[in-house]
């Protein structure tokens, strides 16, 4: 029985922010940390109800604002299988937060009762189980208290607090909690599983070190939680002495994402601050990468002829697609049997889409921004669904059919007479496919797991960063943002590639876009920041910059 009378003192003490409207953004609630107490409180309630709806299975709750500045924070709920909160529940979570903030306590209780009734939640059956975690922001412990305040007193929930960890680690552990004895699941489960699979994968090819593909791997941790987690993780890899860290100052949360991290490097197309000079000597043969604040994104880069070269999410997706396609060919698994495709958003560079279609001959899909959209498409449209946002947020999903086909190929090889080379190559390809699928975190995009996947691909195919990059050349592009009085006026269609509002703006933009060679541009409201984003690409960077400025001028003129 839920003791709602006990909710009142908790509500009074925890929900200090009133008369504030919360919106569910691209990746959960995100805002200035000062106003998040009330929505944390209600998100705890939603997580408990979501767990009860799943008959008491573990649901995860992560406190993070990813790439946002240090003063922001946010929260997202994780489903029992490690995926993101079911989209049908986003309006429920939003309404509950806004009732708590703007209406009476009685209305809050009534709405909780409505959810229980409408969702047919059995509150007398199983106990709720919640796994929680947070990033390294200063506000995270305070907000964690608001989040947890109702879980035990009101819901009698079993709560496992994983403390500070990366978002994808919590996604993975939430799914493990529902599969294994909860006493055996900890961050070590994550580390052990991914480390041992990576080692087994490289052992197939007797690979030592970085196999002469590059010298050192320099990891920029955005001064976030990825630093201690990956330092601990990588210390047990045989390559650890060649892995160097920069921006790993997570104990100084005021430096989080400050001129560093994946978002900074991708948007500015430049090195993060703080890379030691010794790693930047001309002629060095290093591979660099940047995590974002909660380590669910990664971008790579290298320096050649003193020039910075970015290897972003599009490059990661195409690297994986080429590698996996070749493995299917070597394994002699007909491509019709396993459908491999790439899911992108409108932010994907036009050259990458063109390369996938014409060189890799793979199908592509375009979805709206936000990994929940890409994940869903990858899951429903493909057997090997590779999805990446250009900013480095993504993963690969492997269907049951994929596992069945690879297993039947292995069974088939085992039936053949021993000792022939082709058999050996086929077997290796099948084993590689299976192990590779487990080096990847299939619950969500994961900087650490994606890093392992990229390194394994480069080492196995004996490719240098330069060779990886040379598969196709990005069209010059620019992503910028501007602040407008009301970003909610910006409405889009066609997977966010066209504006339907403000009226007339798209037509004016089209006139500008058509003037430049290979021109493409679109405008949409950010779902994580109070800004409107402008993306432009074309054949020359000067034209792209001008186009971007002209579009910004149009928007600002319109907004007056
Ligand atoms: C252009 C861009 O990089 N947008 C990001 C950003 O969303 P916006 O809705 O554009 O603010 O944050 C999301 C969450 O991390 C991420 O999924 C998305 O790709
Ligand atoms: Mg992130």
């Amino acid at each position: 029985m839920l003791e709602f009378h006990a909710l009142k003192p908790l509500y009074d003490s925890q929900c200090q922010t009133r008369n504030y409207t919360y919106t569910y953004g691209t990746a959960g609630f995100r805002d200035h940390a000062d106003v998040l107490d009330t929505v944390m409180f209600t998100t705890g309630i939603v997580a408990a109800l979501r767990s009860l709806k799943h008959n008491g299975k573990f649901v995860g709750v992560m406190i993070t604002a990813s790439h946002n500045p240090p003063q922001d924070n946010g929260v997202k709920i994780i489903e029992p299988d490690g995926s993101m909160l079911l989209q049908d529940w986003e309006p429920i979570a939003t309404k509950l937060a806004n009732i708590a903030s703007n209406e009476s306590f009685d209305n809050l209780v009534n709405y909780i009762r409505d959810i229980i009734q409408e969702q047919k939640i059995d509150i007398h059956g199983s106990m709720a189980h919640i796994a929680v975690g947070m990033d390294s922001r200063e506000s995270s412990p305070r907000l964690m208290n608001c989040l947890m305040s109702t879980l035990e007193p009101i819901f009698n929930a079993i709560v496992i607090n994983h403390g500070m960890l990366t978002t994808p680690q919590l996604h993975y552990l939430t799914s493990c909690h529902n599969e294994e004895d909860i006493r055996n699941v900890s961050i070590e489960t994550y580390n052990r599983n991914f480390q041992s699979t990576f080692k087994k994968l490289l052992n197939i090819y007797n690979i030592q070190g970085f196999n002469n593909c590059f010298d050192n791997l320099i990891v920029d941790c955005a001064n976030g939680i990825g630093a201690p987690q990956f330092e601990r993780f990588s210390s047990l890899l045989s390559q650890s002495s060649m892995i160097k860290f920069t921006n790993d100052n997570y104990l100084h949360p005021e430096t989080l994402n400050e001129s560093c991290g994946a978002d900074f490097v991708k948007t500015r197309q430049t090195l993060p601050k703080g890379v030691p000079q010794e790693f930047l000597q001309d002629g060095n043969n290093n591979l660099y990468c940047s995590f974002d604040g909660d380590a669910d994104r990664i971008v790579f880069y290298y320096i050649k002829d003193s020039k910075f070269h970015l290897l972003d999410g599009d490059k990661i997706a195409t690297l994986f697609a080429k590698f996996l396609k070749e493995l299917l060919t070597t394994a002699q698994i007909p491509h019709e049997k396993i459908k491999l495709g790439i899911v992108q958003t409108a932010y994907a560079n036009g050259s990458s889409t063109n390369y996938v279609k014409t060189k890799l001959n793979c199908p592509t899909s375009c979805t709206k921004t936000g990994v929940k959209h890409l994940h869903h498409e990858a899951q429903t449209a493909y057997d090997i669904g590779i999805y990446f946002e250009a900013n480095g947020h993504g993963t690969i999903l492997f269907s049951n059919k994929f596992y069945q086909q690879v297993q039947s190929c292995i069974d088939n090889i085992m039936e053949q007479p021993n000792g022939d080379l082709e058999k050996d190559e086929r077997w290796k390809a099948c084993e590689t496919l299976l192990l590779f699928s487990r080096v990847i975190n299939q619950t969500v995009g994961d900087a650490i797991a994606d890093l392992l996947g990229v390194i394994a691909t480069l080492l196995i195919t004996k490719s240098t960063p330069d060779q990886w990059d040379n598969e196709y050349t990005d069209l010059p592009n620019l992503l910028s943002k501007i602040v407008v009085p009301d970003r909610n006026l910006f409405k889009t269609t066609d997977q966010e590639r066209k504006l339907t509002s403000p009226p007339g703006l798209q037509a004016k933009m089209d006139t500008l876009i058509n003037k430049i060679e290979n021109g493409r541009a679109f405008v949409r409201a950010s779902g994580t920041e109070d800004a409107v984003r402008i993306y432009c690409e074309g054949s020359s960077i000067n034209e792209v910059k001008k186009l971007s400025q002209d579009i910004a001028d149009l928007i600002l003129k319109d907004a007056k």
Side-chain angles (χ1 to χ4, degrees):
M1 199 53 206
L2 300 183
E3 305 289 342
F4 283 125
H5 60 271
L7 193 61
K8 178 82 168 93
L10 294 172
Y11 168 75
D12 288 338
S13 63
Q14 299 293 337
C15 298
Q16 301 298 311
T17 301
R18 301 285 169 91
N19 304 319
Y20 189 81
T21 305
Y22 295 104
T23 44
Y24 199 98
T26 315
F29 295 104
R30 214 176 271 191
D31 219 317
H32 195 291
D34 289 352
V35 300
L36 287 171
D37 48 1
T38 303
V39 70
M40 288 291 163
F41 180 85
T42 55
T43 299
I45 297 173
V46 174
L49 295 174
R50 194 73 198 127
S51 169
L52 292 174
K53 169 77 187 167
H54 283 289
N55 301 319
K57 281 192 177 173
F58 265 96
V59 160
V61 188
M62 180 73 191
I63 297 181
T64 178
S66 183
H67 61 281
N68 285 42
Q71 64 275 19
D72 286 0
N73 215 327
V75 63
K76 40 192 170 190
I77 297 180
I78 303 165
E79 291 283 311
D81 65 356
S83 62
M84 274 156 286
L85 176 68
L86 189 73
Q87 280 181 52
D88 294 358
W89 274 60
E90 291 178 2
I92 297 175
T94 313
K95 187 167 170 190
L96 193 67
N98 286 324
I99 291 178
S101 167
N102 295 291
E103 298 181 26
S104 65
F105 175 74
D106 289 345
N107 284 3
L108 177 71
V109 172
N110 287 340
Y111 188 52
I112 297 173
R113 289 193 212 279
D114 287 351
I115 301 172
I116 292 168
Q117 203 181 17
E118 279 161 21
Q119 296 291 329
K120 302 189 177 60
I121 295 170
D122 177 8
I123 49 168
H124 307 292
S126 340
M127 283 160 102
H129 287 75
I130 317 279
V132 295
M134 60 186 182
D135 71 13
S136 57
R137 284 163 201 268
E138 205 180 344
S139 58
S140 292
R142 172 178 64 82
L143 296 174
M144 181 63 90
N145 281 338
C146 302
L147 174 81
M148 302 230 294
S149 58
T150 60
L151 296 180
E152 284 166 7
I154 307 296
F155 291 95
N156 201 16
I158 306 282
V159 182
I160 298 205
N161 188 346
H162 287 286
M164 283 206 292
L165 81 178
T166 74
T167 297
Q169 285 176 326
L170 188 64
H171 279 258
Y172 184 80
L173 294 181
T174 302
S175 77
C176 293
H177 279 310
N178 289 310
E179 281 157 21
E180 293 170 37
D181 183 338
I182 56 171
R183 284 166 302 189
N184 298 335
V185 176
S186 71
I187 196 69
E188 292 313 322
T189 316
Y190 174 96
N191 289 348
R192 248 192 340 262
N193 289 354
F194 285 95
Q195 279 156 352
S196 72
T197 317
F198 182 66
K199 286 179 190 170
K200 280 187 205 151
L201 179 57
L202 295 190
N203 278 346
I204 302 181
Y205 299 87
N206 292 318
I207 289 173
Q208 311 289 327
F210 288 139
N211 211 14
N212 294 327
C213 297
F214 47 89
D215 296 337
N216 296 297
L217 175 71
I218 293 112
V219 187
D220 156 27
C221 298
N223 292 322
I225 185 59
Q229 291 299 346
F230 190 55
E231 274 169 356
R232 191 158 147 204
F233 183 97
S234 63
S235 66
L236 288 176
L237 299 179
S238 66
Q239 290 81 4
S240 70
S241 65
M242 290 167 276
I243 300 178
K244 319 280 180 190
F245 289 84
T246 162
N247 299 315
D248 53 354
N249 214 352
Y250 74 104
L251 293 174
H252 280 273
E254 73 283 2
T255 60
L256 179 70
N257 298 321
E258 175 57 44
S259 304
C260 60
D263 201 60
F264 175 86
V265 171
K266 165 72 181 160
T267 326
R268 307 282 184 96
Q269 306 192 20
T270 182
L271 283 171
K273 70 153 197 237
V275 181
Q277 203 51 41
E278 60 179 302
F279 300 128
L280 294 172
Q281 308 293 341
D282 241 5
N284 80 65
N285 189 24
N286 294 328
L287 177 63
Y288 308 77
C289 63
S290 288
F291 294 177
D292 73 338
D294 61 338
D296 60 358
R297 286 194 209 174
I298 188 167
V299 294
F300 292 82
Y301 38 101
Y302 66 104
I303 296 163
K304 196 180 165 206
D305 302 331
S306 306
K307 248 188 88 193
F308 167 91
H309 295 264
L310 180 68
L311 297 154
D312 62 2
D314 303 338
K315 292 269 178 183
I316 299 172
T318 50
L319 177 79
F320 286 163
K322 182 165 185 268
F323 178 54
L324 294 171
K325 222 178 152 195
E326 282 166 4
L327 287 169
L328 291 176
T329 306
T330 310
Q332 296 174 18
I333 300 175
H335 290 186
E336 320 70 85
K337 290 210 170 153
I338 294 185
K339 192 172 175 202
L340 182 152
I342 295 192
V343 186
Q344 302 182 313
T345 69
Y347 291 103
N349 194 280
S351 278
S352 76
T353 316
N354 192 33
Y355 168 82
V356 177
K357 284 185 185 154
T358 59
K359 293 277 167 36
L360 296 182
N361 292 315
C362 289
T364 59
S365 323
C366 179
T367 70
K368 288 196 236 170
T369 305
V371 273
K372 60 193 175 199
H373 303 295
L374 292 99
H375 191 96
H376 182 256
E377 174 70 10
Q379 199 164 40
T380 47
Y382 304 112
D383 296 309
I384 301 181
I386 303 171
Y387 74 83
F388 272 86
E389 294 188 307
N391 59 31
H393 199 176
T395 188
I396 313 177
L397 302 182
F398 297 86
S399 70
N400 288 339
K401 193 169 161 209
F402 161 85
Y403 287 105
Q404 282 156 9
Q405 289 292 333
V406 177
Q407 194 51 53
S408 80
C409 184
I410 291 177
D411 296 345
N412 175 278
I413 296 167
M414 292 306 179
E415 284 163 12
Q416 319 246 319
N418 287 331
D420 91 33
L421 186 65
E422 188 195 325
K423 171 183 158 180
D424 200 41
E425 289 305 308
R426 280 186 76 196
W427 179 85
K428 257 184 167 177
C430 289
E431 283 297 305
T432 306
L433 282 166
L434 290 181
L435 287 169
F436 190 83
S437 76
R438 297 195 181 107
V439 151
I440 295 296
N441 184 345
Q442 294 189 50
T443 61
V444 80
D446 181 340
I448 295 177
D450 289 340
L451 186 154
L452 299 180
V454 165
I455 302 297
T457 306
L458 294 177
L459 305 193
I460 292 170
T461 58
K462 267 199 146 299
S463 306
T464 62
D466 196 23
Q467 285 164 334
W468 170 16
D469 195 22
N470 284 338
E471 287 291 313
Y472 69 87
T473 307
D474 272 332
L475 280 172
N477 60 90
L478 189 65
L479 176 61
S480 52
K481 60 183 176 190
I482 50 172
V483 177
V484 295
D486 183 5
R487 72 182 151 129
N488 296 320
L489 293 178
F490 290 74
K491 304 239 183 319
T492 60
T493 179
D494 186 22
Q495 312 300 356
E496 304 176 329
R497 289 175 287 201
K498 294 262 176 265
L499 280 173
T500 52
S501 151
L505 186 55
Q506 184 65 48
K508 289 182 199 149
M509 276 172 55
D510 287 341
T511 313
L512 296 171
I513 298 166
N514 290 336
K515 281 188 196 154
I516 78 168
E517 194 187 340
N518 283 324
R520 187 171 72 89
F522 64 94
V523 168
R524 60 176 272 282
S526 160
T528 59
E529 293 170 64
D530 187 13
V532 164
R533 297 198 196 281
I534 305 172
Y535 177 85
C536 296
E537 68 179 33
S539 295
S540 102
I541 187 65
N542 287 338
E543 282 181 334
V544 166
K545 281 184 181 161
K546 179 161 187 318
L547 177 62
S548 181
Q549 187 56 54
D550 289 348
I551 292 177
D553 292 345
L554 266 184
I555 294 172
L556 293 171
K557 207 168 96 201
D558 224 69
K560 274 194 196 142

